[in-house]
Amino acid sequence: MSSDTSDKKPAVSDVKTSGGDQINLKVRDADGNEVQFRIKKHTPLRKLMDAYCTRKGVDLHSYRFLFDGNRINEDDTPEKLGMEDMDSIDAMLFQQGGV
Amino acid sequence: MFRGRRRHSHRSLIRARPSKPGTVLSTCSQNAFKLIRRPSRARQARVVRSGAPSSQGYAISLVSLRRRGRPRHARNAPAKTRLYADKTTRSRSAIEAISWRDNSLHRYGRTNGRQELTPSERDLLRWAWSHSTREQILSRLCDVQICLRGCDLRCLRHPGWLNDEIMNAYMGMLNRQYRSQGVYCFNSFFYTRLTSPSYRFEFVHRWTRRAGLCIQRNSLLLVPVNVDQRHWILVAIDASRRELRCYDSMHSRDGWRVLPNLERWLYDELTDKRVKDPWLLSREWRTLLAHEHQPVPRQSDGGSCGVFSLLFAEALACNWPPERSRHLSPSKGVYCKFSFGQKDVPVLRKRIALELLQQRLER
């Protein structure tokens, strides 16, 4: 899944050695598929979420993004959440139930 | 019913219209925060006819003129007037601006949830359910980082299905209130992450560490579980009795698919965190479906299992630690009794919506 060729400027998916203020983050969905993103530490994670949802072809509100069980806000940055290189973000599909 | 036309509709005017030129009731759009004092019917009609186009998209005016409803001694006081809010920016201040004059609320555990809503609560709920836009943020719960939008809160209307935002926001509020008593509420994604595509402890082992969870003898862990995108159940991991109980409002056997995974997680978690307590490390934990051992309220409509799950969680949390069972042997303790049923659900849905809007649990 990591061979993505999309050229999203803030969050590109091709993996390089993370240097300086950029880190690699894995986004993992409920089926166990992983997509890797490279993002600057002070870039809002909104960009990553947008890129992921666009890639999946779904509405931004369909997925909930969690880091270690805590919900990620659109304005959060990797630096603020204390993310490190190769950390994983969980992308969980919305849930509903009634019967 | 709540959504029906009120008998004294002249007392309260609530308006919200999309900004189509010529059709708009735009008393509030241009001067959104100008006080309106009891407009005469003639003036209302004039406003309707003039129909000035709005430049602000949706705008909501909530004008409560409740003179006649007030006690005689209060009738000469100025009419209570409230006005709010445009798209998203003012939604919080709108909620905060409402003064909770008649806040004589009781915990629904004691009153069976049948008490009526106060007029101000009814107004707030009507605003949230009927006059907000889908994307409008109505409540921002900072500790769980959830923004409840109009479409989220609308699923609390009877008999809508609850989504994960409502469940997790409410579990977050329970956490805030009862964490100090040894209760910890997981979010609904915990179980999904643990078990999909298959059981993987390493997917969640950092979750509990990040949350600072340490399982002890007096711990009660509440895990809301979504079953196949159609059903909500609640699993209570009760360390004082060494039990994993599944609370299911449908009294189904779905719990038997869930309980083994959570039991396995529990052993893994205790090992991973190097818990030393022999009481917890014992392999004598029991798994059971609660409705086979105690009276559990049963759902008879087609959409309220999420509401039941939240109410189970609330009742279990607020009765924790169990007074009588603490010193008894585990098998003789008293289970939490539930004092609500299907007939209370429509009111309790409103109560939950209000609690989420006010961001506090009623006591």
Side-chain angles (χ1 to χ4, degrees), chain B residues 85-93 133 135-137 140:
Chain B
D86 65 1
K87 269 183 177 170
T88 51
T89 49
R90 299 196 192 268
S91 55
R92 272 306 304 149
S93 60
T133 61
E135 300 300 321
Q136 188 173 0
I137 294 171
R140 216 181 280 269

Side-chain angles (χ1 to χ4, degrees), chain B residues 187-241:
Chain B
N187 67 33
S188 67
F189 295 112
F190 171 76
Y191 182 80
T192 315
R193 184 68 282 176
L194 178 71
T195 57
S196 59
S198 59
Y199 179 91
R200 296 279 289 277
F201 176 71
E202 62 270 24
F203 279 179
V204 296
H205 80 282
R206 279 169 55 158
W207 291 34
T208 46
R209 192 165 298 155
R210 175 79 60 158
L213 173 67
C214 179
I215 302 175
Q216 293 168 337
R217 272 187 207 209
N218 64 348
S219 294
L220 175 71
L221 312 182
L222 299 173
V223 190
V225 177
N226 183 262
V227 183
D228 302 336
Q229 287 283 20
R230 61 173 169 80
H231 188 36
W232 290 108
I233 57 177
L234 182 85
V235 175
I237 302 175
D238 179 344
S240 75
R241 304 165 67 106

Side-chain angles (χ1 to χ4, degrees), chain A residues 64 71 73 94-95 98-99, chain B residues 164 188 192 229-231 299:
Chain A
R64 325 287 191 213
R71 190 70 176 272
N73 241 346
F94 77 98
Q95 297 175 325
V99 288
Chain B
D164 57 290
S188 67
T192 315
Q229 287 283 20
R230 61 173 169 80
H231 188 36
Q299 167 191 3

Side-chain angles (χ1 to χ4, degrees), chain B residues 114-125:
Chain B
R114 261 171 259 147
Q115 79 276 14
E116 283 300 307
L117 273 66
T118 61
S120 56
E121 288 174 325
R122 229 173 291 158
D123 286 348
L124 176 62
L125 210 50

Side-chain angles (χ1 to χ4, degrees), chain A:
Chain A
M1 291 296 283
S2 60
S3 61
D4 181 30
T5 52
S6 71
D7 49 356
K8 292 271 179 304
K9 219 177 177 182
V12 285
S13 304
D14 52 331
V15 192
K16 295 171 193 163
T17 49
S18 58
D21 63 342
Q22 290 202 322
I23 55 169
N24 295 307
L25 293 174
K26 288 184 282 185
V27 180
R28 196 166 48 190
D29 69 4
D31 298 328
N33 301 321
E34 283 186 356
V35 186
Q36 206 153 315
F37 290 91
R38 192 146 171 268
I39 189 170
K40 284 181 186 159
K41 277 185 182 170
H42 52 263
T43 305
L45 286 160
R46 182 194 309 117
K47 308 237 172 177
L48 184 146
M49 299 183 202
D50 281 341
Y52 186 79
C53 290
T54 312
R55 196 192 146 92
K56 287 265 175 183
V58 294
D59 179 47
L60 181 61
H61 293 302
S62 317
Y63 277 101
R64 325 287 191 213
F65 293 88
L66 301 127
F67 178 60
D68 290 349
N70 295 326
R71 190 70 176 272
I72 299 174
N73 241 346
E74 291 191 339
D75 300 331
D76 289 338
T77 61
E79 196 170 26
K80 185 179 163 196
L81 299 179
M83 290 176 170
E84 291 171 5
D85 196 33
M86 300 307 279
D87 269 347
S88 290
I89 291 174
D90 295 305
M92 309 301 288
L93 204 61
F94 77 98
Q95 297 175 325
Q96 59 177 10
V99 288

